[in-house]
Amino acid sequence: MSWRETLRPVRMERVAIVAAVRSLDDVLRIVGRAGVVELSTPPDAPLGEVSKSAVVRGEVAALAGWTPAKVVSELAAQVAPEGGAVVPLARPRDKEAPSLLRSEGLHGSLAPLVDTYGTTPYADLDPTPLAVGAYVLMFGMMFGDVGHGLLLVVAAAGLYSKRPRWLSRFHRAWPFALGAGLASMVFGLLYGDFFGPTGVVPVLWLRPLADPISLLAAALAGGALLLALSYLLGVVNRWREGGWPATLYSPAGVAGAALFFGLGLALLGWYAKLGWPAVLGGVIAAFGVVLAFTGFYAEAGGGVSGTAQGVVRLLDTVVRLGANVASFARLAAFGLTHAAIGSIVWSATTGLWAAVPVVAVAVFLLGNVLALALEGLVAGVQALRLEYYELFSKVFQAEGRPFRPWQLPTAPKEEATSCPSG
């Protein structure tokens, strides 16, 4: 599979299931058992209902539907012995194909991160690989500790191998645990934390509690980069969804991207005391403002009310942009919280060691267990919140239609009845 295929939903084909009227039910049984064709009937419709929905012309019947392109030839070979055929059709412009994200291999284990948010529109790029990368990066920054990350890697190994057996139900989560663990170990090395500030590993960058301002600046800068990537993906998706009008005027398209990049460049120029980046950024941002207002004005229907609505929505867009960037401050905030808990546990451990070593060990173990459980949960939830509210809101503007293939319902078992004896 090429990298391009991993960035889009499974390619769908519009097909017609064609068969002689006399053999239609037999062909439909094969199609229903395969479970790879979405028809106009409900996915759990009985055979009789599906058969009645067929279009009949003389002795030939046909039903139109959607199926993954890769299974067309295989399905055609299955129905051929019964006189059936699978005929590719032209894709109607007024109907969007259903979306099916890849479920095989590693990609299938990662897909729930996007599926939980909503169904990716068929025309859009599938952001699963990039979304997972952003998620583990944000998690690691909030949960930076080599020891805690190592425990997550061990947990990932257990999930992958399904050992112990009760972990088998969570098997598909192993890539998230592995990615989160490795990211936590990397940031733990940067922070110099191994089950807290124990001194086992050196500080490669900074200690969060000693330099919180630098950590905050890094969090905001990292958030700005993730937002920039989201805007770029949004521009591509707007083009695939609706051509140049949707691309230019959408706040999640060129208009929003120009405003974001323009303001960022202007701010960078002001901070560095460089005139030309500030001027260029202002021009780009003004271009984005004009595009966004034009889109809002046209969407509202023009006139005085359209102007008022356009101004209000434009102000809301600018405020939201600043709020989006500021939201990433939580990466630093929860990174500091995790570091503070580790520091408190280690200080208590070293303070008790000389007097009561057993109690010191108990405090160290219990404190790290609580930090691993509570902070791991908090970091996971906060990373998911940033992913959905700040990043996905730029990537997606509509929700797709999930692929729901028709499957032949299983015949209900006849209930055994007992004849009462008189």
Side-chain angles (χ1 to χ4, degrees), residues 5 15 58 91 108 115 252 273:
E5 290 179 322
V15 297
R91 183 170 298 167
D115 284 339
K273 298 181 180 180

Side-chain angles (χ1 to χ4, degrees), residues 101-354:
L101 299 186
R102 303 180 192 281
S103 59
E104 66 274 6
L106 179 61
H107 194 285
S109 297
L110 301 176
L113 179 63
V114 177
D115 284 339
T116 304
Y117 180 81
T119 303
T120 302
Y122 181 74
D124 285 9
L125 297 177
D126 175 11
T128 298
L130 300 175
V132 172
Y135 180 84
V136 299
L137 178 67
M138 292 186 291
F139 182 95
M141 191 170 190
M142 291 184 284
F143 199 68
D145 188 290
V146 176
H148 295 165
L150 184 60
L151 291 178
L152 289 178
V153 172
V154 172
L159 291 171
Y160 180 78
S161 62
K162 302 179 183 179
R163 295 285 191 279
R165 185 173 298 179
W166 60 269
L167 285 177
S168 60
R169 69 181 67 179
F170 308 109
H171 170 71
R172 294 187 68 185
W174 74 265
F176 292 98
L178 179 61
L182 293 176
S184 299
M185 292 177 69
V186 170
F187 277 96
L189 288 172
L190 294 176
Y191 300 159
D193 280 354
F194 183 89
F195 294 111
T198 56
V200 174
V201 296
V203 180
L204 299 183
W205 179 36
L206 57 78
R207 285 205 179 277
L209 295 177
D211 196 357
I213 301 301
S214 295
L215 184 65
L216 176 61
L220 294 178
L225 289 176
L226 292 176
L227 284 170
L229 180 59
S230 297
Y231 273 112
L232 293 177
L233 288 176
V235 169
V236 175
N237 282 344
R238 299 301 83 74
W239 173 261
R240 294 168 65 93
E241 291 167 359
W244 69 266
T247 306
L248 281 179
Y249 302 118
S250 171
V254 171
L259 183 59
F260 176 80
F261 285 105
L263 289 177
L265 184 59
L267 183 61
L268 183 62
W270 170 80
Y271 180 79
K273 298 181 180 180
L274 297 174
W276 68 266
V279 173
L280 180 59
V283 172
I284 295 174
F287 177 67
V289 167
V290 172
L291 288 178
F293 177 79
T294 302
F296 294 147
Y297 179 81
E299 187 178 341
V304 177
S305 62
T307 302
Q309 290 186 44
V311 171
V312 172
R313 294 185 64 183
L314 184 61
L315 291 175
D316 179 69
T317 299
V318 175
V319 172
R320 285 178 181 271
L321 190 151
N324 291 154
V325 177
S327 289
F328 286 91
R330 69 189 65 221
L331 296 178
F334 289 104
L336 285 168
T337 301
H338 189 239
I341 292 175
S343 179
I344 291 172
V345 171
W346 181 242
S347 296
T349 300
T350 55
L352 292 169
W353 180 257

